[in-house]
Amino acid sequence: MADINGKMHAQAILDEVRAAGKKCKLAVVLVGDNPASIVYINMKKKACEQVGFDFELFKLPEDSPQSEVLALIDKINDDDGITGAIIQQPFPAHLNKGEILERLSPKKDVDCLHPQNVGLAVSGTGRILPCTPAGCIKLLKREGISIAGKRAVVVGRSDIVGKPLALMLLAEHATVTICHSRTENLAEECRNADILVAAIGSPKFITADMVKRGAVVLDVGVSRLAGKKVCGDVDYESVSKIASYITPVPGGVGPMTVAVLIENCLKAWELTHG
Ligand code: NAP
């Protein structure tokens, strides 16, 4: 078994972005003060500092009306000094998520959540790519793991991870199965996988009896256990004994998500500057 060192691969991507030497600026909009969001925003800020990008956080109160959020997005769209922007999720429940995600210019949508960018990404023609799914594909490629012809099983069908990742694996010529909470015989589906991706949000859900010997296992899940210890969707201790490759949590997929975001910001700069 080999651990896939996401930290190392992410650092290599950040080094490449830094070497490109472009003066980019990432803007983050935070509505409210969700503590987990603040942790994620600080990681993005740190990555910007590492590659020499400017960073600006726009904070709005939790009870901001939709019109105020949209007005801020319009301001960001019109600001030539801002290369890329993120509207940090989760949003407060009263906001219309779809309208917000569509308001940000696709050219600045470095999270790849605008329907236009999602469409291009899953058709295999996008420049800006969904951060976590693209991070997973990059990990496989950078480790020299072939995807074409392999059976890939993705557990989870969210719009930000499972669904786009399944379509991106398909674009890489894997034979793809998507599983979710209504899947019957989930363990059996998982055991068919040459490449098994867990994007569920349920700690240690994937156990060794659900994994084929020699499978490649990507663990996207991030859960906080009591005592604040971070844990993935895969029972690392048992699964690492039979997988050929496995991503640890932390230090696997997570750092790649941030690295792809920063790379997307550079691509956004290239889209604007030709
Ligand atoms: P989500 O929107 O809650 O989706 C979870 C998916 O898992 C859903 O499709 C759900 O099925 C499925 N699921 C839940 N329980 C299941 C079960 N018992 N059996 C089979 N499928 C089940 O979550 P998400 O945004 O995709 O995130 C998933 C995990 O990845 C979370 O832990 C999140 O924190 C983490 N994450 C990590 C990164 C990173 O950079 N490492 C980035 C994003 C997310 P239904 O559709 O049927 O409900």
Side-chain angles (χ1 to χ4, degrees), residues 9-20:
H9 290 299
Q11 189 58 53
I13 292 170
L14 293 178
D15 289 347
E16 281 166 29
V17 172
R18 187 177 181 87

Side-chain angles (χ1 to χ4, degrees), residues 158-218:
S158 70
D159 287 342
I160 61 160
V161 188
K163 218 180 284 174
L165 177 54
L167 290 167
M168 289 169 78
L169 286 164
L170 185 65
E172 296 288 339
H173 313 293
T175 302
V176 182
T177 302
I178 306 176
C179 298
H180 45 79
S181 65
R182 311 275 185 98
T183 299
E184 290 181 3
N185 303 322
L186 180 68
E188 203 176 309
E189 295 290 349
C190 292
R191 274 194 298 273
N192 285 327
D194 302 310
I195 299 169
L196 178 62
V197 185
I200 308 163
S202 185
K204 301 187 184 186
F205 182 88
I206 303 287
T207 45
D209 58 308
M210 300 167 80
V211 180
K212 180 163 84 177
R213 185 163 288 280
V216 175
V217 179
L218 302 183

Side-chain angles (χ1 to χ4, degrees), residues 127-140:
R127 292 266 300 136
I128 291 178
L129 299 172
C131 302
T132 304
C136 289
I137 302 273
K138 278 174 190 285
L139 279 181
L140 295 172

Side-chain angles (χ1 to χ4, degrees), residues 43-261:
M43 287 160 110
K44 291 162 192 174
K45 183 178 176 202
K46 198 173 148 210
C48 281
E49 284 163 6
Q50 266 195 56
V51 300
F53 287 2
D54 289 333
F55 175 91
E56 187 169 358
L57 175 62
F58 294 87
K59 282 179 87 171
L60 288 176
E62 179 90 23
D63 59 356
S64 300
Q66 180 85 2
S67 58
E68 241 172 66
V69 181
L70 295 178
L72 176 56
I73 296 172
D74 289 343
K75 199 178 118 193
I76 288 171
N77 283 339
D78 291 342
D79 186 339
D80 292 340
I82 294 175
T83 322
I86 298 163
I87 325 298
Q88 186 69 40
Q89 296 197 51
F91 306 145
H94 68 277
L95 294 175
N96 178 337
K97 181 172 154 184
E99 192 184 24
I100 288 174
L101 297 182
E102 283 190 44
R103 191 70 160 237
L104 183 63
S105 161
K107 284 189 171 177
K108 295 194 177 187
D109 168 39
V110 287
D111 248 349
C112 195
L113 296 173
H114 190 287
Q116 187 180 316
N117 287 335
V118 174
L120 289 169
V122 300
S123 71
T125 55
R127 292 266 300 136
I128 291 178
L129 299 172
C131 302
T132 304
C136 289
I137 302 273
K138 278 174 190 285
L139 279 181
L140 295 172
K141 290 189 173 175
R142 295 182 75 99
E143 287 285 330
I145 297 164
S146 63
I147 306 173
K150 295 288 159 55
R151 276 178 191 276
V153 174
V154 180
V155 190
R157 56 174 166 178
S158 70
D159 287 342
I160 61 160
V161 188
K163 218 180 284 174
L165 177 54
L167 290 167
M168 289 169 78
L169 286 164
L170 185 65
E172 296 288 339
H173 313 293
T175 302
V176 182
T177 302
I178 306 176
C179 298
H180 45 79
S181 65
R182 311 275 185 98
T183 299
E184 290 181 3
N185 303 322
L186 180 68
E188 203 176 309
E189 295 290 349
C190 292
R191 274 194 298 273
N192 285 327
D194 302 310
I195 299 169
L196 178 62
V197 185
I200 308 163
S202 185
K204 301 187 184 186
F205 182 88
I206 303 287
T207 45
D209 58 308
M210 300 167 80
V211 180
K212 180 163 84 177
R213 185 163 288 280
V216 175
V217 179
L218 302 183
D219 189 354
V220 178
V222 180
S223 301
R224 247 171 227 286
L225 302 177
K228 302 229 163 184
K229 199 172 173 248
V230 171
C231 168
D233 288 341
V234 177
D235 179 26
Y236 179 88
E237 210 178 300
S238 66
V239 173
S240 61
K241 293 195 174 92
I242 56 170
S244 57
Y245 291 88
I246 185 166
T247 58
V249 179
V253 174
M256 289 299 282
T257 298
V258 179
V260 173
L261 173 80

